[in-house]
Amino acid sequence: MADVTAAAAMKAQPKEETSRAFKWFHATSVNGGAMAIAATISSYYSIFVQENLGLTAASLSVIMLICSLWDAINDPLMGVLADNTRSKWGRYRIYFTFTPILLFFDAILLFTNPGLSSYGATFAYVLITYMLYGMIVTAYTMPQMAILPAATLNDQERNKIIAMGAGVCAVAFTVASTWTPQLVAVFGNYRNLMILYGVLAIISFWGLFKTGKEKYLQEVSRENPFKQLKYVFRHPQVYPVMIVWVLASVSYGFMFASSVYYAQYIWCAKRVDLTAGEDAIGAGIQGTISTYMGAVSFGALFSMVVFMPVFLKVFKTGYRALLVSQVLTVACYLVLFFFGRNNWIFCLVLSFIATLVGAMVNALVNVLVNDTIDFIMLKEGKQLNGIISSVKGFAQKCGNTVVNSGLLAILAIFGFNAQNGPFGQTAETVEAVNAVRFLVPALVSIAIIILIVFYPLKKYAPEIAAMKEKMAAEHAAKEAQE
């Protein structure tokens, strides 16, 4: 009954309220140049640091753990700050002016070898620049999520913008994850590539600043900003949603972070002829990695651009689309875990299909963010877009902590050493790579399925729809008076 009333409520939506320019810049801000930077870091940074700066997997795991934990802690701080910002440029829009500039410079520093003389100094350099990167991402992601429900009450319009952003994200991730080795060769080094991505990010965020309108906002509360967190955390209905946010981040993160390791340390060892010349070996390694990453990245591209809109249209709500996608993902991952290494073509095809149904998880959970914002507005009469977005960010960063430090820790435990190259890993390391690529994400998806089956916010859909109708009427009356 709840699903029927939710579907009926979705039909009674106001007309679209945002411009095409807003839709485009919202979709390309976090998901355009900034996402290309994020994809490069996610897929290649750990290997870059180990091979070019000389840090071990164990040291890098510690760095990732420290940075991810701090990143998770400062997310709620950013949400509180965003919701309580007062400026003539708006509550959230102001952050789109300076954060992309900071991103531009830090991305260059991340892929720079400073040539420090000691291991400890290099460790500190990577720690500081990577921690700064996480803080910058937080400073633009929270306001970017928060401005959408402030710009429109229309769920279908929100979902359309989220799906559009997911499509742009998939394109950026496809390019960065698949062809980074070739792009680095064209541009000369990683730094020049980061300059290109950084300029694209600046353009998109400044466009979002120009076109963004914050129509549905209450006055900034005069109470202690940190006490506003209680309005979210005193509702038990939001806790399962938060856990889903964490698990979605883990699932999506392992999908890409482990793929390069899987291609380089399992399939290169199987497919590259060591008796060939040095150039042929290098070309074989590069070709194998790019081919496999292409299967994964193009799977993500079609997942976001084609399958996610179809899933939302067919299954009506974000949580039902998420449930179906995760069931299919588990089936593919388990087959790949047991049989994926038997045949190269079979592995490529099924990896593509697994990503096709699984990659949309990271975008579908953004629909749950808007559900949560609406739910808290219904229950508390408080508009906490930034805080709820930051809680989602906190959950996502917790997931990133598991991915970034957990993946490296597992590999380190089983003897992984990047200096040994694709052909010098132990049998135990190879098995660990296979597990982090398929078994761990499968278990995570099973946990998501269990939580979504009992999704607690779906029964409030009719009440939320009525609340939105009232808010839209009040806004229209206010505009008529003005």
Side-chain angles (χ1 to χ4, degrees):
M1 182 64 183
D3 288 341
V4 175
T5 53
M10 289 178 64
K11 295 181 180 179
Q13 295 285 334
K15 294 182 179 179
E16 292 194 357
E17 304 178 75
T18 61
S19 66
R20 290 182 179 179
F22 172 82
K23 291 181 175 69
W24 171 252
F25 287 121
H26 192 278
T28 58
S29 53
V30 169
N31 298 304
M35 183 54 63
I37 293 172
T40 305
I41 291 172
S42 174
S43 297
Y44 296 96
Y45 183 65
S46 66
I47 293 176
F48 171 85
V49 170
Q50 292 175 74
E51 292 183 348
N52 293 275
L53 275 67
L55 295 187
T56 65
S59 294
L60 194 54
S61 174
V62 173
I63 290 174
M64 296 296 184
L65 176 62
I66 294 171
C67 292
S68 297
L69 287 175
W70 166 242
D71 208 14
I73 292 170
N74 69 49
D75 269 29
L77 302 180
M78 184 62 216
V80 169
L81 178 62
D83 273 343
N84 290 274
T85 296
R86 297 178 178 89
S87 80
K88 65 179 181 179
W89 296 288
R91 187 175 302 178
Y92 306 121
R93 292 170 61 235
I94 182 63
Y95 294 98
F96 307 143
T97 59
F98 63 90
T99 55
I101 298 175
L102 297 176
L103 174 68
F104 176 87
F105 288 108
D106 191 62
I108 295 172
L109 293 176
L110 282 168
F111 286 98
T112 296
N113 185 347
L116 300 174
S117 57
S118 70
Y119 190 90
T122 302
F123 182 97
Y125 176 84
V126 174
L127 174 66
I128 292 170
T129 53
Y130 193 79
M131 182 177 291
L132 181 59
Y133 170 73
M135 295 173 68
I136 294 168
V137 171
T138 298
Y140 63 65
T141 301
M142 300 305 103
Q144 191 260 6
M145 285 194 291
I147 199 173
L148 180 56
T152 176
L153 297 174
N154 188 333
D155 282 339
Q156 295 177 15
E157 184 177 10
R158 292 177 181 178
N159 292 350
K160 183 187 295 184
I161 295 172
I162 290 172
M164 184 177 177
V168 175
C169 173
V171 172
F173 227 109
T174 298
V175 171
S177 297
T178 306
W179 293 297
T180 287
Q182 289 85 350
L183 289 170
V184 169
V186 170
F187 284 90
N189 53 52
Y190 277 98
R191 293 192 302 276
N192 293 338
L193 191 57
M194 293 301 103
I195 290 173
L196 172 64
Y197 293 155
V199 169
L200 294 176
I202 290 171
I203 293 171
S204 295
F205 275 107
W206 285 1
L208 183 58
F209 168 79
K210 180 68 175 178
T211 60
K213 294 181 180 180
E214 301 170 354
K215 295 189 291 186
Y216 300 105
L217 288 180
Q218 297 175 331
E219 292 295 325
V220 176
S221 175
R222 297 291 179 180
E223 66 182 323
N224 185 330
F226 291 99
K227 288 185 178 180
Q228 295 171 357
L229 291 167
K230 70 182 179 183
Y231 299 123
V232 178
F233 287 99
R234 70 184 177 187
H235 292 282
Q237 295 93 334
V238 303
Y239 287 103
V241 183
M242 294 177 189
I243 297 172
V244 170
W245 291 337
V246 174
L247 296 176
S249 177
V250 174
S251 176
Y252 191 80
F254 266 92
M255 181 184 300
F256 286 96
S258 63
S259 290
V260 174
Y261 286 90
Y262 184 74
Q264 183 163 339
Y265 296 101
I266 288 183
W267 278 109
C268 283
K270 283 176 168 288
R271 301 186 73 244
V272 176
D273 183 5
L274 289 178
T275 63
E278 184 176 339
D279 291 342
I281 292 175
I285 293 174
Q286 187 181 86
T288 298
I289 294 173
S290 295
T291 301
Y292 186 78
M293 292 304 296
V296 173
S297 299
F298 276 100
L301 176 63
F302 285 101
S303 178
M304 302 293 193
V305 175
V306 179
F307 269 57
M308 179 178 163
V310 171
F311 270 49
L312 285 171
K313 184 176 181 179
V314 172
F315 300 109
K316 307 300 182 185
T317 61
Y319 67 86
R320 292 175 66 185
L322 180 60
L323 177 62
V324 176
S325 74
Q326 291 302 286
V327 170
L328 297 174
T329 301
V330 170
C332 291
Y333 277 162
L334 290 179
V335 173
L336 282 163
F337 174 72
F338 290 106
F339 307 107
R341 289 176 289 174
N342 293 346
N343 182 275
W344 173 238
I345 300 300
F346 173 80
C347 179
L348 288 177
V349 171
L350 198 55
S351 292
F352 173 82
I353 295 173
T355 314
L356 192 68
V357 295
M360 67 180 79
V361 62
N362 213 37
L364 286 174
V365 292
N366 288 332
V367 177
L368 309 189
V369 175
N370 292 320
D371 289 350
T372 308
I373 289 172
D374 293 337
F375 171 76
I376 295 300
M377 183 67 185
L378 174 70
K379 290 298 183 180
E380 298 288 350
K382 303 285 185 181
Q383 200 161 38
L384 303 176
N385 301 20
I387 289 175
I388 294 170
S389 296
S390 73
V391 172
K392 192 268 182 180
F394 172 82
Q396 183 175 349
K397 301 302 172 53
C398 290
N400 289 345
T401 301
V402 175
V403 173
N404 295 333
S405 60
L407 187 151
L408 290 168
I410 292 171
L411 295 181
I413 289 171
F414 287 91
F416 174 79
N417 187 339
Q419 302 299 319
N420 293 339
F423 313 104
Q425 305 301 322
T426 66
E428 290 77 11
T429 298
V430 171
E431 292 302 325
V433 170
N434 190 45
V436 297
R437 177 65 187 96
F438 297 120
L439 182 60
V440 173
L443 296 175
V444 170
S445 292
I446 290 172
I448 292 175
I449 291 169
I450 294 171
L451 290 167
I452 290 298
V453 166
F454 301 101
Y455 186 61
L457 302 186
K458 59 185 176 183
K459 67 179 181 180
Y460 297 97
E463 297 174 67
I464 290 172
M467 176 192 71
K468 288 181 179 179
E469 289 182 7
K470 182 179 178 181
M471 290 174 64
E474 290 174 350
H475 179 72
K478 182 179 178 181
E479 283 192 330
Q481 291 176 355
E482 296 175 351

